[in-house]
Amino acid sequence: MEISVLKIIKYLIYDRFHFEKSKDQWIENHQETYDVLCEKMNQSAETSFPADERLQDLSFTVFDLETTGFFPRAGDEIISIGAVKITVSDLGLSKQFYQIVSPIKKPSNEVKLLIDMTQKQIDRGKAFPESLNDFLSFADQSILVAYPASFDVPFLQELSKRWNMPTGNLPHIDCHKLAQYLYPNEKNTLDHLVKKFGIVQQERHHALNDALMTAEVFQFLIEELIQRGITTLQEYRKAMNIK
């Protein structure tokens, strides 16, 4: 997806300066919270998991973001984070996380209609550093999973960078790439896999709903990996050609 020239110009002329001013003011008023989060991001960069760890013994945090757009480097921000913490052997989805994030730049009416939120609900959300702090606490000692992680993880890292926070390593699995590996001749959209595995379709463009459906899909994919003899993190990385 390409970004429009008008969006880039608007960001360079106005949006980034407004963001920087509002960001600096928030940090000044919440310095202690900000410092704690920066330290937590540094710790996440040091998080590692033994290569011989069995997939069925690992903890995963499956998450989804709703955003104002697709380009964090051009001013787009996060509006909500939804997540569920699971293990392969635990079929329950009781450990849930959902938080509305109040972006500095107000989202367009089109975005608000898509995500079905009012401006009042968005204004009541937490600032990004606070939401990221809560999310990282929820996801502690687990591997992140997203569909696709190639969007969600870099978005988190880029927005952290814009807030002058360490980006962190954020160990993760790309659920879409995993599906492509297992079923190379199929469409492998989230909706396709939800239907393929007989998962109840929930309302889309809601971060928690999408995270819950992705978690159920991910459990099927991991079980398929194990059935094919790929049982450890090291074997998974080798199969996916991840160094």
Side-chain angles (χ1 to χ4, degrees), residues 172-183:
H172 64 275
I173 288 177
D174 192 316
C175 198
H176 178 251
K177 289 183 179 179
L178 178 55
Q180 292 287 76
Y181 169 78
L182 292 171
Y183 312 113

Side-chain angles (χ1 to χ4, degrees), residues 39-76:
E39 178 59 29
K40 184 171 292 186
M41 290 295 286
N42 276 323
Q43 292 173 359
S44 72
E46 300 172 358
T47 301
S48 62
F49 298 87
D52 59 350
E53 188 88 19
R54 296 192 308 170
L55 294 173
Q56 65 187 46
D57 295 332
L58 289 167
S59 178
F60 302 96
T61 295
V62 186
F63 79 103
D64 183 73
L65 305 176
E66 294 301 326
T67 64
T68 61
F70 301 99
F71 306 100
R73 292 185 180 181
D76 287 322

Side-chain angles (χ1 to χ4, degrees), residues 33-189:
T33 299
Y34 179 79
D35 290 342
V36 168
L37 177 56
C38 287
E39 178 59 29
K40 184 171 292 186
M41 290 295 286
N42 276 323
Q43 292 173 359
S44 72
E46 300 172 358
T47 301
S48 62
F49 298 87
D52 59 350
E53 188 88 19
R54 296 192 308 170
L55 294 173
Q56 65 187 46
D57 295 332
L58 289 167
S59 178
F60 302 96
T61 295
V62 186
F63 79 103
D64 183 73
L65 305 176
E66 294 301 326
T67 64
T68 61
F70 301 99
F71 306 100
R73 292 185 180 181
D76 287 322
E77 299 178 63
I78 294 170
I79 301 176
S80 63
I81 306 174
V84 56
K85 203 167 189 178
I86 64 170
T87 63
V88 175
S89 58
D90 182 5
L91 298 179
L93 300 172
S94 59
K95 298 178 182 178
Q96 299 179 9
F97 174 92
Y98 179 71
Q99 202 163 102
I100 295 175
V101 186
S102 184
I104 289 175
K105 177 186 174 183
K106 292 185 183 298
S108 66
N109 290 329
E110 290 79 9
V111 169
K112 285 188 287 187
L113 287 173
L114 184 66
I115 61 176
D116 195 24
M117 283 187 203
T118 66
Q119 188 60 52
K120 183 177 291 187
Q121 288 174 310
I122 295 171
D123 289 340
R124 288 175 178 170
K126 291 188 175 183
F128 171 73
E130 294 177 299
S131 294
L132 183 59
N133 184 28
D134 293 344
F135 173 64
L136 291 178
S137 295
F138 175 81
D140 187 44
Q141 299 301 310
S142 68
I143 296 177
L144 298 180
V145 178
Y147 201 105
S150 59
F151 172 78
D152 296 270
V153 172
F155 206 110
L156 280 176
Q157 293 174 320
E158 185 61 36
L159 198 51
S160 297
K161 184 177 178 181
R162 289 180 64 197
W163 276 88
N164 299 331
M165 297 184 298
T167 56
N169 181 34
L170 300 181
H172 64 275
I173 288 177
D174 192 316
C175 198
H176 178 251
K177 289 183 179 179
L178 178 55
Q180 292 287 76
Y181 169 78
L182 292 171
Y183 312 113
N185 299 317
E186 297 188 24
K187 193 174 181 180
N188 291 322
T189 63

